[in-house]
Amino acid sequence: MKNIKRLIAIILTAAMLLCLVSCGGNEKGSTDTTSTSSNVSSEEVPSEYTPSGSSSKEEAKAQNAVVRYFKYAPGGKLKTTYDVDYSVEGTITVNAFDKNNYKTGSTVYDYDENGLVVYRSERDKDGNELCYTTYEFNNIGKIDTEYYYEEEALRRTSKYEYDNNGNLVRKKVETIGDNTVYTWDYIRDGSYLHTIYISTDFMQNVEGYTFTKNADGKLYQKTHAKNGYTADYSLYDYDKSGKMNYRGHFDPSNTLVEYYEFKYGSADDLAAEAFFNTGIMD
């Protein structure tokens, strides 16, 4: 009987020891698993992490954003530096500085969730608003009406018309208090815009523009004419990746008047898209 009791005691003791070992092993296993997981995570983070918190794909899209551009006089004499500040909240501010780096003014653009510019404000160096423009869009995301204000008074209204493919074909500009309405006719070959004729109710083609593309299909020259004569023209150039890096303005005698150079960096995708809707690059 004593032997049976001793055997039962041994079995119970062994069972308790196995239970303790098992519990202790599980705790250690949990610690090792956490440690291993932590090590793997710390090794993977540097290869996938981007400072902006966006994915590498988004970052790549944003590389085409203009972060600074410069206006030069002939001979490379700097006239104005423009710094572009982007905001994911829906604002782009372009600050202008003279050759001595003193701020001369700014242009502020507000854009919506589709990257469409809905408001443009011209301001002096102290931030006081000088004039502003508001934009209304149609159901295909094209400008429908444009309103220009000075001193809180509406000065000019522009109405846009499109064809069935969404291409701009006409714009009517009416200055408040002036009976003259300027009609802009956009002449296209398919989707390619090659000529703009500007007329009034009294005179046809009082002003206009013609456009020429390069071998890559990008804008190469824009010629501005008044009453049938060249008033001035612009030439455009691009870097190897296809981004515009030069825009030069010339007078009728082919003399360079001034030119722009553009520097690119990163910005939020929507803000970068909105920048190209400001018309600065046109």
Side-chain angles (χ1 to χ4, degrees), residues 2-276:
K2 290 181 178 179
N3 290 335
I4 293 175
K5 289 182 177 180
R6 185 179 296 131
L7 180 61
I8 292 172
I10 291 171
I11 292 172
L12 290 173
T13 302
M16 291 176 64
L17 288 172
L18 287 171
C19 183
L20 288 171
V21 170
S22 176
C23 291
N26 285 342
E27 289 177 2
K28 185 175 187 303
S30 175
T31 303
D32 289 346
T33 302
T34 303
S35 175
T36 302
S37 175
S38 176
N39 289 338
V40 171
S41 177
S42 64
E43 290 174 0
E44 291 179 348
V45 166
S47 63
E48 297 181 356
Y49 177 74
T50 53
S52 66
S54 61
S55 70
S56 58
K57 183 178 180 181
E58 290 174 338
E59 193 70 18
K61 286 183 179 178
Q63 293 304 314
N64 288 336
V66 174
V67 295
R68 174 175 280 200
Y69 58 105
F70 310 88
K71 180 167 69 174
Y72 294 94
K77 297 179 179 178
L78 180 63
K79 297 174 67 175
T80 310
T81 299
Y82 301 90
D83 283 336
V84 185
D85 296 329
Y86 294 91
S87 166
V88 294
E89 283 74 31
T91 301
I92 297 173
T93 302
V94 181
N95 295 305
F97 301 86
D98 65 16
K99 62 180 181 180
N100 297 314
N101 207 33
Y102 289 107
K103 185 176 179 180
T104 58
S106 61
T107 305
V108 178
Y109 303 88
D110 286 349
Y111 59 92
D112 64 13
E113 66 277 5
N114 298 310
L116 302 174
V117 175
V118 295
Y119 171 82
R120 168 179 172 164
S121 173
E122 297 290 346
R123 305 181 183 183
D124 64 19
K125 61 183 179 64
D126 298 317
N128 300 310
E129 189 169 64
L130 304 174
C131 58
Y132 66 93
T133 305
T134 61
Y135 305 87
E136 293 179 354
F137 294 85
N138 59 24
N139 57 5
I140 60 173
K142 303 286 187 178
I143 296 177
D144 180 75
T145 312
E146 173 184 320
Y147 304 95
Y148 172 74
Y149 296 82
E150 286 182 2
E151 299 178 350
E152 298 298 326
L154 180 62
R155 304 294 186 180
R156 186 173 64 243
T157 302
S158 301
K159 186 73 175 178
Y160 293 73
E161 300 175 17
Y162 302 86
D163 62 19
N164 292 332
N165 296 316
N167 295 314
L168 178 62
V169 294
R170 179 166 294 171
K171 177 175 72 172
K172 289 192 174 183
V173 183
E174 181 177 0
T175 302
I176 306 303
D178 186 347
N179 293 327
T180 303
V181 176
Y182 291 87
T183 300
W184 295 47
D185 288 309
Y186 296 75
I187 312 304
R188 300 176 180 274
D189 181 4
S191 61
Y192 168 53
L193 174 66
H194 58 78
T195 308
I196 297 176
Y197 295 117
I198 304 175
S199 304
T200 70
D201 295 335
F202 312 103
M203 291 185 64
Q204 294 294 309
N205 304 334
V206 295
E207 194 172 354
Y209 297 88
T210 56
F211 305 88
T212 305
K213 291 188 175 183
N214 61 20
D216 296 323
K218 293 183 176 294
L219 179 62
Y220 167 71
Q221 181 170 333
K222 179 173 70 175
T223 302
H224 176 212
K226 288 185 176 182
N227 298 315
Y229 296 94
T230 298
D232 55 81
Y233 65 93
S234 300
L235 294 179
Y236 302 78
D237 201 5
Y238 307 83
D239 63 20
K240 293 181 179 179
S241 64
K243 298 192 295 288
M244 185 189 299
N245 58 11
Y246 172 88
R247 185 179 76 208
H249 296 295
F250 297 79
D251 66 18
S253 62
N254 302 317
T255 301
L256 179 65
V257 177
E258 61 187 21
Y259 65 94
Y260 292 80
E261 290 184 351
F262 301 88
K263 178 181 179 181
Y264 292 78
S266 62
D268 175 83
D269 281 350
L270 188 62
E273 179 182 349
F275 177 85
F276 291 100

